[in-house]
Amino acid sequence: MTAPDVIIDAHIHLLPKVRLGGLVRWIRRAFPEHPVDTNIDGEGILSDLRENRISFFFNYVYPLKEEETDSLNEFNFELSQNIDVVAPFGSLHFDTRDKKSVVKKCIENYGFVGLKFHPFVQKFDPADEKMFSVYKLMEEYERPVVLHTGFDEFYQMKMPSEDLMKILDKFPNLPLVLSHCLFPRFDDANLLAQRYKNVYLDATNVFGALKFFMSDTNDEEIRGRGNFY
């Protein structure tokens, strides 16, 4: 089989040094068997991408604190100015007061592709009406919103399909990407994709995590492991 001329990695977290270090340490604590290099930095990630012939990658940032919002978006903008193979996505915090201005800056000033949110890590309900102004603007811009979904048991949080349907019914033209395909609720993900023309499924980490669920081990902790960040 001939290798493709263009390979796109649709799910990368190239972050500022402090956040990247925190992510690596988190991975090593949660998944000791993960081969991540504890000393890896941004240049190391870029080197890995080049070695694996990645032609283009989507870079996701999202704030864990409200005050990180502007600096993270600025980081991703500067990254995209220096590296032409980056498709940058912005974000904001649930507690951001003027959400509209952040969205406008991300799309109009920075030219970001879309927005990315991790409701479990950012600790908010994506169907909360306080997020509706964000979805409305993104629908008008015709730009995607990427949501982390799935691995509910690992995060000990839930994202019912009904919550996603609330968003989709309210904003029928909003491109909504369900990252990780609601793992392992693939039937739910498929039903949403069949029902709504604006739903897209991102299978990042899905296939790698399946081996833990399909193994014969009875260790629930191990069976639930994967790179879910």
Side-chain angles (χ1 to χ4, degrees):
M1 180 180 293
T2 303
D5 294 329
V6 176
I7 303 175
I8 298 174
D9 191 319
H11 199 120
I12 291 291
H13 295 293
L14 188 53
L15 301 163
K17 184 177 181 179
V18 173
R19 278 287 303 274
L20 184 59
L23 170 58
V24 171
R25 290 191 296 273
W26 178 85
I27 291 175
R28 289 304 300 237
R29 287 196 306 269
F31 320 114
E33 75 281 6
H34 197 292
V36 63
D37 180 357
T38 55
N39 296 314
I40 197 166
D41 56 11
E43 185 52 45
I45 292 174
L46 292 172
S47 177
D48 282 350
L49 292 170
R50 287 191 290 267
E51 288 178 8
N52 287 281
R53 301 180 58 250
I54 302 300
S55 310
F56 209 71
F57 67 92
F58 298 175
N59 197 56
Y60 296 142
V61 299
Y62 47 84
L64 303 181
K65 302 176 182 178
E66 191 280 328
E67 57 265 30
E68 286 185 317
T69 296
D70 290 339
S71 61
L72 276 177
N73 288 329
E74 290 170 5
F75 168 85
N76 222 13
F77 173 67
E78 292 175 2
L79 187 73
S80 69
Q81 297 301 294
N82 295 320
I83 304 173
D84 59 6
V85 297
V86 178
F89 283 68
S91 191
L92 52 78
H93 195 273
F94 182 74
D95 292 334
T96 298
R97 292 185 178 182
D98 192 352
K99 293 180 174 63
K100 288 184 178 181
S101 67
V102 174
V103 175
K104 288 181 179 180
K105 188 173 186 179
C106 284
I107 304 303
E108 296 182 9
N109 295 2
Y110 290 160
F112 287 165
V113 176
L115 299 179
K116 156 75 175 187
F117 299 101
H118 195 318
F120 291 167
V121 172
Q122 293 182 288
K123 302 186 186 308
F124 75 95
D125 177 3
D128 191 302
E129 293 186 2
K130 291 180 181 178
M131 290 294 293
F132 282 8
S133 61
V134 173
Y135 303 145
K136 184 176 186 300
L137 262 181
M138 292 299 285
E139 183 179 48
E140 292 173 0
Y141 285 128
E142 299 181 338
R143 296 297 183 91
V145 168
V146 181
L147 290 180
H148 169 99
T149 68
F151 302 102
D152 301 33
E153 184 175 340
F154 175 81
Y155 288 104
Q156 297 184 341
M157 299 179 70
K158 294 187 180 299
M159 189 182 298
S161 296
E162 290 76 15
D163 285 355
L164 296 171
M165 291 169 65
K166 180 179 178 181
I167 299 171
L168 292 162
D169 288 335
K170 181 74 174 179
F171 306 99
N173 295 309
L174 170 69
L176 188 66
V177 181
L178 306 182
S179 190
H180 314 303
C181 303
L182 289 169
F183 188 96
R185 293 158 41 213
F186 302 126
D187 286 345
D188 289 351
N190 182 57
L191 286 172
L192 289 172
Q194 293 294 326
R195 178 170 179 174
Y196 298 96
K197 62 179 176 58
N198 52 321
V199 167
Y200 300 85
L201 303 180
D202 167 18
T204 297
N205 292 329
V206 166
F207 304 108
L210 275 173
K211 67 179 181 180
F212 296 110
F213 282 80
M214 295 175 68
S215 68
D216 293 329
T217 179
N218 291 320
D219 187 333
E220 292 299 325
E221 180 183 1
I222 297 297
R223 292 177 63 196
R225 283 179 179 171
N227 181 5
F228 310 147
Y229 200 84

